[in-house]
Amino acid sequence: MKPGFNTNGLAFHRWDDALRLIAETGYTSAAITVDHYTLNPFAPDLSRQIDSMQQLLQECQLSTVIETGARFLLDPRVKHEPTLVSPSPEERDRRIDFLKRCVDLAAALQSDAVSFWAGQLKQDLPRAAALNRLAAGCREVIDYAADKEVRLAFEPEPGMLIETLADFEELLTLVDHPCFGLTVDIGHLQCMGELPISEYLKPWRERIFNIHIEDMRQGEHDHLRFGEGEIDFDDVFAGLRQIDYQGGLHVELSRHSHMAPDVLRESFAFLQQHLQTG
C-alpha cells in the first residue's frame, strides 16, 4: 500500500509546493484534485503545467490519482455542479467533457486512475430513470478512458445518487467494463453504516483502484483527523491486507488546509503505524 495525500488538503499552497511537502513528509502517492490552479484543463498554459508536473513527480517519486471533486471549477455559483445527473443534456455534457479532459491528464501523468462520483439528483425523477441517466454518462467516459488505457475509479458519496457499495452494485447492472472500478472512501463506509468495514471491502478486491482515508462518525459526513471519529482502523487495515490492496491510501481532509503541514505529518505517522504492524 502506498501512503498518499489529497492536494485538496493543501488548498492554500501552490501545487508544486504541495507535492514537495507530500513527498518530503514520506508519502509515495498524491491524489491530485484538478482545480483552478492545479492542472486546470481549461487553462491556456495547461501543456506547460503538465510538463512541469511530470518532472516534479519524477523527482519526488510520487505516483498519482486524478481527482475530479473540485467545488467550483465548472460553476462558480453552485458547488460540484454540473454533474452526470444534472437536469439538462448540456449540463451533463459539460461534466462529461471535464471528465474526458481529466482522463487525458491521467494518461499524460500515467496516473493510477481517475476518481469521480455521480452527483446529487436535484429534480423529481424516478430512481430507475436517474440511474439510466448516470449510466449513459459513465458509458461515454468509459469508452474514452478505455481507448487511452486509463482506469476509472467511481466513488460512492453520501448525499449523492450513488451513496453506498450496494448502490454501486446497482449501477454495475447497467454499465460495466474492466477499466471501471471503485474509489472506496473509508470514512464514507463508516458514515453509511457499512460495517464492519473489512467485510464490505472483501467482495470488491478486484474493483478497488483507489482508497480515500480519514476518520468519521456513523451518520455524519464530516471528514475528521485520525482519532477524532469512530472508525476501527485495526479492522480497516486487516481488511486491506486480506484483499492484498496495493494502491494509494489517500488522506482526504479538504477542510484542514489552514493547518496542512501539521495534518500532513500527523496523518503520515498514523498511517505508518498501521502499515508497519499486522
PDB file of all heavy atoms in Angstrom, residues 20-35:
ATOM      1  N   ARG A  20       5.800  18.809  -3.175  1.00  0.00           N
ATOM      2  CA  ARG A  20       7.075  18.667  -2.458  1.00  0.00           C
ATOM      3  C   ARG A  20       6.845  18.337  -0.986  1.00  0.00           C
ATOM      4  O   ARG A  20       7.540  17.492  -0.411  1.00  0.00           O
ATOM      5  CB  ARG A  20       7.908  19.939  -2.602  1.00  0.00           C
ATOM      6  CG  ARG A  20       8.497  20.144  -3.993  1.00  0.00           C
ATOM      7  CD  ARG A  20       9.488  21.298  -4.013  1.00  0.00           C
ATOM      8  NE  ARG A  20      10.012  21.497  -5.367  1.00  0.00           N
ATOM      9  CZ  ARG A  20       9.519  22.391  -6.226  1.00  0.00           C
ATOM     10  NH1 ARG A  20       8.491  23.157  -5.871  1.00  0.00           N
ATOM     11  NH2 ARG A  20      10.048  22.511  -7.428  1.00  0.00           N
ATOM     12  N   LEU A  21       5.880  19.013  -0.371  1.00  0.00           N
ATOM     13  CA  LEU A  21       5.572  18.738   1.032  1.00  0.00           C
ATOM     14  C   LEU A  21       5.086  17.305   1.219  1.00  0.00           C
ATOM     15  O   LEU A  21       5.466  16.624   2.181  1.00  0.00           O
ATOM     16  CB  LEU A  21       4.520  19.719   1.549  1.00  0.00           C
ATOM     17  CG  LEU A  21       5.017  21.120   1.921  1.00  0.00           C
ATOM     18  CD1 LEU A  21       3.831  22.049   2.155  1.00  0.00           C
ATOM     19  CD2 LEU A  21       5.893  21.051   3.161  1.00  0.00           C
ATOM     20  N   ILE A  22       4.241  16.856   0.313  1.00  0.00           N
ATOM     21  CA  ILE A  22       3.738  15.481   0.388  1.00  0.00           C
ATOM     22  C   ILE A  22       4.896  14.498   0.333  1.00  0.00           C
ATOM     23  O   ILE A  22       4.987  13.568   1.148  1.00  0.00           O
ATOM     24  CB  ILE A  22       2.721  15.224  -0.752  1.00  0.00           C
ATOM     25  CG1 ILE A  22       1.412  15.989  -0.484  1.00  0.00           C
ATOM     26  CG2 ILE A  22       2.439  13.736  -0.913  1.00  0.00           C
ATOM     27  CD1 ILE A  22       0.441  15.990  -1.651  1.00  0.00           C
ATOM     28  N   ALA A  23       5.798  14.707  -0.605  1.00  0.00           N
ATOM     29  CA  ALA A  23       6.928  13.792  -0.757  1.00  0.00           C
ATOM     30  C   ALA A  23       7.905  13.896   0.410  1.00  0.00           C
ATOM     31  O   ALA A  23       8.382  12.876   0.931  1.00  0.00           O
ATOM     32  CB  ALA A  23       7.649  14.081  -2.071  1.00  0.00           C
ATOM     33  N   GLU A  24       8.201  15.124   0.844  1.00  0.00           N
ATOM     34  CA  GLU A  24       9.154  15.304   1.948  1.00  0.00           C
ATOM     35  C   GLU A  24       8.659  14.657   3.232  1.00  0.00           C
ATOM     36  O   GLU A  24       9.455  14.168   4.050  1.00  0.00           O
ATOM     37  CB  GLU A  24       9.382  16.802   2.184  1.00  0.00           C
ATOM     38  CG  GLU A  24      10.205  17.482   1.105  1.00  0.00           C
ATOM     39  CD  GLU A  24      10.208  18.994   1.260  1.00  0.00           C
ATOM     40  OE1 GLU A  24       9.669  19.495   2.282  1.00  0.00           O
ATOM     41  OE2 GLU A  24      10.738  19.681   0.368  1.00  0.00           O
ATOM     42  N   THR A  25       7.348  14.629   3.426  1.00  0.00           N
ATOM     43  CA  THR A  25       6.785  14.024   4.632  1.00  0.00           C
ATOM     44  C   THR A  25       6.957  12.510   4.611  1.00  0.00           C
ATOM     45  O   THR A  25       7.001  11.878   5.683  1.00  0.00           O
ATOM     46  CB  THR A  25       5.300  14.396   4.765  1.00  0.00           C
ATOM     47  OG1 THR A  25       5.163  15.821   4.718  1.00  0.00           O
ATOM     48  CG2 THR A  25       4.711  13.892   6.075  1.00  0.00           C
ATOM     49  N   GLY A  26       7.042  11.927   3.424  1.00  0.00           N
ATOM     50  CA  GLY A  26       7.235  10.486   3.317  1.00  0.00           C
ATOM     51  C   GLY A  26       6.192   9.762   2.487  1.00  0.00           C
ATOM     52  O   GLY A  26       6.322   8.560   2.233  1.00  0.00           O
ATOM     53  N   TYR A  27       5.163  10.467   2.065  1.00  0.00           N
ATOM     54  CA  TYR A  27       4.133   9.850   1.222  1.00  0.00           C
ATOM     55  C   TYR A  27       4.730   9.453  -0.127  1.00  0.00           C
ATOM     56  O   TYR A  27       5.659  10.097  -0.631  1.00  0.00           O
ATOM     57  CB  TYR A  27       2.975  10.822   0.993  1.00  0.00           C
ATOM     58  CG  TYR A  27       2.218  11.221   2.242  1.00  0.00           C
ATOM     59  CD1 TYR A  27       2.549  12.391   2.928  1.00  0.00           C
ATOM     60  CD2 TYR A  27       1.169  10.446   2.729  1.00  0.00           C
ATOM     61  CE1 TYR A  27       1.857  12.773   4.072  1.00  0.00           C
ATOM     62  CE2 TYR A  27       0.466  10.818   3.862  1.00  0.00           C
ATOM     63  CZ  TYR A  27       0.819  11.982   4.533  1.00  0.00           C
ATOM     64  OH  TYR A  27       0.130  12.351   5.662  1.00  0.00           O
ATOM     65  N   THR A  28       4.153   8.421  -0.719  1.00  0.00           N
ATOM     66  CA  THR A  28       4.629   7.966  -2.029  1.00  0.00           C
ATOM     67  C   THR A  28       3.581   8.111  -3.117  1.00  0.00           C
ATOM     68  O   THR A  28       3.809   7.710  -4.260  1.00  0.00           O
ATOM     69  CB  THR A  28       5.095   6.504  -1.953  1.00  0.00           C
ATOM     70  OG1 THR A  28       4.015   5.686  -1.474  1.00  0.00           O
ATOM     71  CG2 THR A  28       6.299   6.367  -1.023  1.00  0.00           C
ATOM     72  N   SER A  29       2.424   8.682  -2.771  1.00  0.00           N
ATOM     73  CA  SER A  29       1.377   8.899  -3.762  1.00  0.00           C
ATOM     74  C   SER A  29       0.665  10.211  -3.465  1.00  0.00           C
ATOM     75  O   SER A  29       0.595  10.647  -2.309  1.00  0.00           O
ATOM     76  CB  SER A  29       0.370   7.744  -3.754  1.00  0.00           C
ATOM     77  OG  SER A  29      -0.552   7.873  -4.820  1.00  0.00           O
ATOM     78  N   ALA A  30       0.152  10.841  -4.528  1.00  0.00           N
ATOM     79  CA  ALA A  30      -0.600  12.085  -4.386  1.00  0.00           C
ATOM     80  C   ALA A  30      -1.899  11.965  -5.163  1.00  0.00           C
ATOM     81  O   ALA A  30      -1.900  11.566  -6.338  1.00  0.00           O
ATOM     82  CB  ALA A  30       0.209  13.271  -4.903  1.00  0.00           C
ATOM     83  N   ALA A  31      -3.000  12.289  -4.508  1.00  0.00           N
ATOM     84  CA  ALA A  31      -4.288  12.414  -5.180  1.00  0.00           C
ATOM     85  C   ALA A  31      -4.405  13.875  -5.600  1.00  0.00           C
ATOM     86  O   ALA A  31      -4.524  14.759  -4.756  1.00  0.00           O
ATOM     87  CB  ALA A  31      -5.424  12.018  -4.251  1.00  0.00           C
ATOM     88  N   ILE A  32      -4.333  14.124  -6.894  1.00  0.00           N
ATOM     89  CA  ILE A  32      -4.288  15.488  -7.408  1.00  0.00           C
ATOM     90  C   ILE A  32      -5.693  15.937  -7.773  1.00  0.00           C
ATOM     91  O   ILE A  32      -6.286  15.459  -8.746  1.00  0.00           O
ATOM     92  CB  ILE A  32      -3.359  15.578  -8.621  1.00  0.00           C
ATOM     93  CG1 ILE A  32      -1.933  15.178  -8.233  1.00  0.00           C
ATOM     94  CG2 ILE A  32      -3.382  16.987  -9.211  1.00  0.00           C
ATOM     95  CD1 ILE A  32      -0.979  15.067  -9.402  1.00  0.00           C
ATOM     96  N   THR A  33      -6.235  16.840  -6.965  1.00  0.00           N
ATOM     97  CA  THR A  33      -7.558  17.388  -7.259  1.00  0.00           C
ATOM     98  C   THR A  33      -7.401  18.505  -8.286  1.00  0.00           C
ATOM     99  O   THR A  33      -6.834  19.562  -7.999  1.00  0.00           O
ATOM    100  CB  THR A  33      -8.238  17.924  -5.991  1.00  0.00           C
ATOM    101  OG1 THR A  33      -8.510  16.828  -5.109  1.00  0.00           O
ATOM    102  CG2 THR A  33      -9.551  18.613  -6.330  1.00  0.00           C
ATOM    103  N   VAL A  34      -7.871  18.238  -9.495  1.00  0.00           N
ATOM    104  CA  VAL A  34      -7.823  19.226 -10.573  1.00  0.00           C
ATOM    105  C   VAL A  34      -8.689  20.418 -10.173  1.00  0.00           C
ATOM    106  O   VAL A  34      -9.859  20.265  -9.816  1.00  0.00           O
ATOM    107  CB  VAL A  34      -8.328  18.585 -11.879  1.00  0.00           C
ATOM    108  CG1 VAL A  34      -8.447  19.626 -12.981  1.00  0.00           C
ATOM    109  CG2 VAL A  34      -7.415  17.445 -12.299  1.00  0.00           C
ATOM    110  N   ASP A  35      -8.109  21.617 -10.210  1.00  0.00           N
ATOM    111  CA  ASP A  35      -8.839  22.799  -9.748  1.00  0.00           C
ATOM    112  C   ASP A  35      -8.311  24.027 -10.493  1.00  0.00           C
ATOM    113  O   ASP A  35      -7.476  23.907 -11.387  1.00  0.00           O
ATOM    114  CB  ASP A  35      -8.683  22.960  -8.234  1.00  0.00           C
ATOM    115  CG  ASP A  35      -9.904  23.599  -7.572  1.00  0.00           C
ATOM    116  OD1 ASP A  35     -10.612  24.371  -8.245  1.00  0.00           O
ATOM    117  OD2 ASP A  35     -10.130  23.337  -6.375  1.00  0.00           O
TER     118      ASP A  35
END
